[in-house]
Amino acid sequence: MNPLVSCIITTHNRVNLLEFALNSVLAQTYPELEIFIIDDGSEDTTPEVCQAWARDDERIRYIRVPFPQGANHARNIGISQANGKYVAFLDDDDEWKPDKIKIQCEVLEKTEESFTFCSKYLAYTNDQHQVVKRKLSVEERDVIRYEDLLTFNWIGETSKIMVLTSLARDVRFDENLTSAQDYDFYLRILQRGYVAINVKEVLVDINIHSGPRISTSTSAKYKGQRKIILKYYNDMSKEQKRRQLQHYRMLEWSRNRIRNHVYLKKALSLYPWWRDWVLLKRNTKIILLGYLMRFQARRMAGAYAEEPVRMKLK
């Protein structure tokens, strides 16, 4: 008998995108599903639309949070309500492939492990939700351990994972984090001795669109990265500390509109990022963003300087 899987969709003011996300869950080839739509205080037509969906399909349960408290809070509500053996998360602007739940559930049942993730397409969409470009993202290693994850979030977005419900309920998402909440969630799971099994098949579309996304907020990334470093600093190797600090300094450079290049110089000296193609692309983009922010600030207000935010680490 197939175990029940609880699908948790979190949403906020994106009812048009939510419909695509929900349809991708309803199209799953795996039969034993329950679906939770956790509405983080939406002010559009989300409540009315979701209540109609719930009336039409008994597998759907709609839960509304009275006022926005963040995706972490919404996911934790879903975890607490889940009846399935496993939970799988889906952001309202992402979509699953039809075999996503089936394949990941089979892997967990076969391996008797508690945590798995898959590969993805980055799907760049226009205002009509039409995909204009796709980019494949595959992690090559078969298993991710805690020591691996301290270097970088090799697992990725929550829409890619499936986890044992009892484990998710014990760990839960940290509602105090502004970003990197998925990274922190994975770290605390693997810190307990579990491993993340990699299903290398592409089972998720991560939609990149023009609407608001936490991943596009440099300020949120900056704060989340800072908390991650402080939280796990003592467990990191010297090389991992250098790489994490280099990423933090790059975000700090992008965020602070300062005249001198002290943070950029520190970032460039911390880790040989030019040897890593992923870091090379990311950091080149951050450098250009930093220069653009400074150019725009000077045009608006003349020469502008901001006292840099310093973070003391051991």
Side-chain angles (χ1 to χ4, degrees):
M1 183 176 177
N2 295 319
L4 180 67
V5 176
S6 302
C7 305
I8 299 171
I9 308 174
T10 53
T11 188
H12 175 71
N13 284 344
R14 289 199 289 215
V15 67
N16 292 333
L17 292 176
L18 175 62
E19 183 175 3
F20 292 101
L22 177 62
N23 285 339
S24 77
V25 179
L26 297 175
Q28 291 297 301
T29 57
Y30 188 83
E32 302 297 325
L33 297 179
E34 64 174 2
I35 305 167
F36 293 92
I37 302 176
I38 315 298
D39 179 5
D40 186 34
S42 292
E43 298 171 345
D44 58 5
T45 60
T46 296
E48 294 81 5
V49 172
C50 289
Q51 288 165 3
W53 289 336
R55 286 192 296 269
D56 292 340
D57 193 322
E58 62 181 10
R59 296 175 298 171
I60 299 174
R61 182 178 172 189
Y62 172 65
I63 301 175
R64 175 173 168 78
V65 181
F67 57 90
Q69 298 186 55
N72 293 346
H73 180 74
R75 292 186 187 113
N76 285 338
I77 290 176
I79 291 170
S80 66
Q81 296 293 319
N83 301 301
K85 181 178 181 179
Y86 304 109
V87 290
F89 304 94
L90 181 62
D91 289 348
D92 59 4
D93 54 350
D94 297 331
E95 295 170 64
W96 287 341
K97 300 298 185 183
D99 289 334
K100 197 263 188 188
I101 297 299
K102 177 177 180 291
I103 291 172
Q104 288 192 308
C105 191
E106 288 176 350
V107 167
L108 290 180
E109 290 289 287
K110 181 179 179 180
T111 61
E112 298 184 350
E113 294 290 349
S114 302
F115 185 24
T116 183
F117 69 102
C118 64
S119 298
K120 68 184 178 185
Y121 273 119
L122 291 174
Y124 296 82
T125 61
N126 58 23
D127 293 339
Q128 289 74 44
H129 197 70
Q130 298 171 327
V131 177
V132 295
K133 184 175 73 171
R134 286 185 182 272
K135 182 178 178 182
L136 178 64
S137 177
V138 178
E139 172 54 41
E140 294 299 331
R141 66 192 80 190
D142 297 323
V143 174
I144 303 293
R145 294 178 171 81
Y146 179 62
E147 295 75 17
D148 304 319
L149 205 61
L150 286 169
T151 300
F152 183 72
N153 181 6
W154 305 109
I155 296 173
E157 297 83 355
T158 52
S159 296
K160 297 169 56 180
I161 74 168
M162 182 184 288
V163 62
L164 189 69
T165 301
S166 58
L167 177 57
R169 196 166 284 148
D170 285 342
V171 176
R172 299 174 65 87
F173 287 88
D174 185 346
E175 298 181 19
N176 295 316
L177 286 175
T178 57
S179 72
Q181 52 267 59
D182 50 358
Y183 190 17
D184 175 73
F185 182 67
Y186 310 152
L187 282 166
R188 286 186 287 116
I189 289 176
L190 302 193
Q191 195 176 37
R192 297 179 174 215
Y194 296 94
V195 298
I197 305 298
N198 184 8
V199 178
K200 296 181 182 179
E201 294 187 51
V202 180
L203 302 176
V204 177
D205 275 350
I206 303 297
N207 291 317
I208 310 299
H209 53 84
S210 58
R213 294 173 59 93
I214 188 69
S215 59
T216 62
S217 171
T218 302
S219 178
K221 284 183 179 180
Y222 170 89
K223 293 176 182 177
Q225 181 73 15
R226 183 181 192 276
K227 289 184 178 180
I228 290 293
I229 294 175
L230 290 172
K231 194 171 184 178
Y232 299 99
Y233 191 78
N234 290 334
D235 289 347
M236 294 177 186
S237 67
K238 183 177 180 180
E239 193 69 8
Q240 287 171 332
K241 290 174 182 175
R242 289 178 63 199
R243 175 161 176 162
Q244 292 281 3
L245 282 167
Q246 192 270 344
H247 187 204
Y248 173 82
R249 291 300 188 191
M250 292 302 301
L251 292 173
E252 196 169 37
W253 149 258
S254 177
R255 177 178 178 269
N256 289 282
R257 301 181 180 116
I258 52 178
R259 281 183 167 180
N260 62 64
H261 296 167
V262 59
Y263 283 112
L264 181 59
K265 290 178 181 178
K266 285 183 179 180
L268 299 183
S269 66
L270 278 169
Y271 189 85
W273 51 270
W274 49 88
R275 299 177 186 174
D276 186 317
W277 176 239
V278 174
L279 287 179
L280 177 62
K281 290 190 293 183
R282 179 187 298 116
N283 291 340
T284 299
K285 181 178 180 180
I286 291 176
I287 290 172
L288 294 176
L289 176 61
Y291 278 117
L292 178 62
M293 290 174 66
R294 285 152 185 75
F295 175 74
Q296 291 174 339
R298 285 168 184 153
R299 286 191 62 183
M300 293 176 62
Y304 175 79
E306 178 181 322
E307 182 65 22
V309 177
R310 290 179 170 81
M311 181 177 73
K312 294 183 180 180
L313 295 170
K314 298 179 181 178

